[in-house]
Amino acid sequence: MTPSGAPRGRLAIFPGSFDPLTNGHVDIILRSAHLFERIVVAVLLNAEKKSLFTSDERVAIIREVFKEYPNVEADTFDGLLVEYARQRRASAIVRGLRAVSDFEYEFQMALMNRHLEPTLETVFMMPAEQYTYLSSRLIKEVFQLGGEVRGLVPPAVERWMSQKQGAGVRG
Ligand code: PNS
């Protein structure tokens, strides 16, 4: 419920860097799409020099991968996540938990976000076991060192990565 008593739409935000989108992210997004009316995959806008894809490219990739899913939307956000969540009238933030090692950072973030916006819940979801070792950072590293990323990222991401490679850019 909002402070005025009106119910909130069951919209959830799945925030992250998504550089690149992995099969682990896809797994979490699909699970969330079953749970919530709408899931917004929100790409953090940052000027990180070491990124492989621009934020516009990341959004285009997410839209391509989820084109068959009308309740999955891709967007960008800047600044505080809770502020963006307020603007979107979201009721939850979704985060993936792969291993105990993720927990401390995620726990701190969830509690800080709750401190900033007590009505916004963070929902943690576990990906399928075969994705528990995947991270964008490792995928980028493997790719940049000439390794094979097939099966770790959606085919569309693989294609976008090959295009970067063809253009002589490995991040
Ligand atoms: O993919 P990542 O890097 O794990 O995503 C981290 C992200 C984008 C969720 C986090 O850095 C974030 O929410 N940034 C926005 C700034 C903010 O609200 N910071 C306070 C969070 S406690």
Side-chain angles (χ1 to χ4, degrees):
M1 301 285 264
T2 60
S4 65
R8 275 183 173 159
R10 287 181 51 228
L11 180 144
I13 291 173
F14 182 42
S17 307
F18 306 107
D19 186 44
L21 182 80
T22 71
N23 279 344
H25 292 134
V26 171
D27 182 282
I28 298 288
I29 294 164
L30 293 178
R31 286 171 200 278
S32 315
H34 282 117
L35 213 59
F36 294 96
E37 279 167 25
R38 191 162 189 78
I39 174 96
V40 178
V41 185
V43 177
L44 177 68
L45 283 174
N46 57 12
E48 216 202 290
K49 289 194 196 99
K50 283 202 289 190
S51 63
L52 180 61
F53 293 112
T54 65
S55 37
D56 284 348
E57 287 171 330
R58 293 177 224 174
V59 167
I61 290 171
I62 295 161
R63 286 189 182 144
E64 187 179 331
V65 171
F66 292 97
K67 60 176 183 288
E68 312 279 320
Y69 294 84
N71 69 332
V72 178
E73 181 192 325
D75 195 9
T76 55
F77 79 103
D78 208 357
L80 278 181
L81 175 59
V82 292
E83 196 45 53
Y84 174 72
R86 264 185 218 128
Q87 281 164 22
R88 296 300 312 254
R89 302 176 59 77
S91 45
I93 292 170
V94 169
R95 292 287 289 172
L97 268 188
R98 292 161 299 187
V100 179
S101 52
D102 282 342
F103 182 77
E104 196 172 338
Y105 170 63
E106 294 296 337
F107 186 68
Q108 285 177 349
M109 251 192 340
L111 290 184
M112 178 58 82
N113 284 331
R114 179 180 283 168
H115 169 79
L116 296 169
E117 176 51 75
T119 67
L120 186 67
E121 290 297 336
T122 298
V123 175
F124 291 111
M125 301 190 84
M126 274 81 71
E129 281 158 44
Q130 70 262 35
Y131 302 132
T132 49
Y133 67 96
L134 290 188
S135 73
S136 297
R137 186 183 61 79
L138 278 185
I139 285 169
K140 221 165 12 187
E141 187 173 315
V142 168
F143 170 73
Q144 283 164 348
L145 296 172
E148 180 60 72
V149 297
R150 181 156 302 161
L152 308 179
V153 295
V157 174
E158 226 186 289
R159 211 168 47 248
W160 279 76
M161 288 174 101
S162 311
Q163 281 163 16
K164 288 268 169 196
Q165 193 176 359
V169 183
R170 270 193 182 252

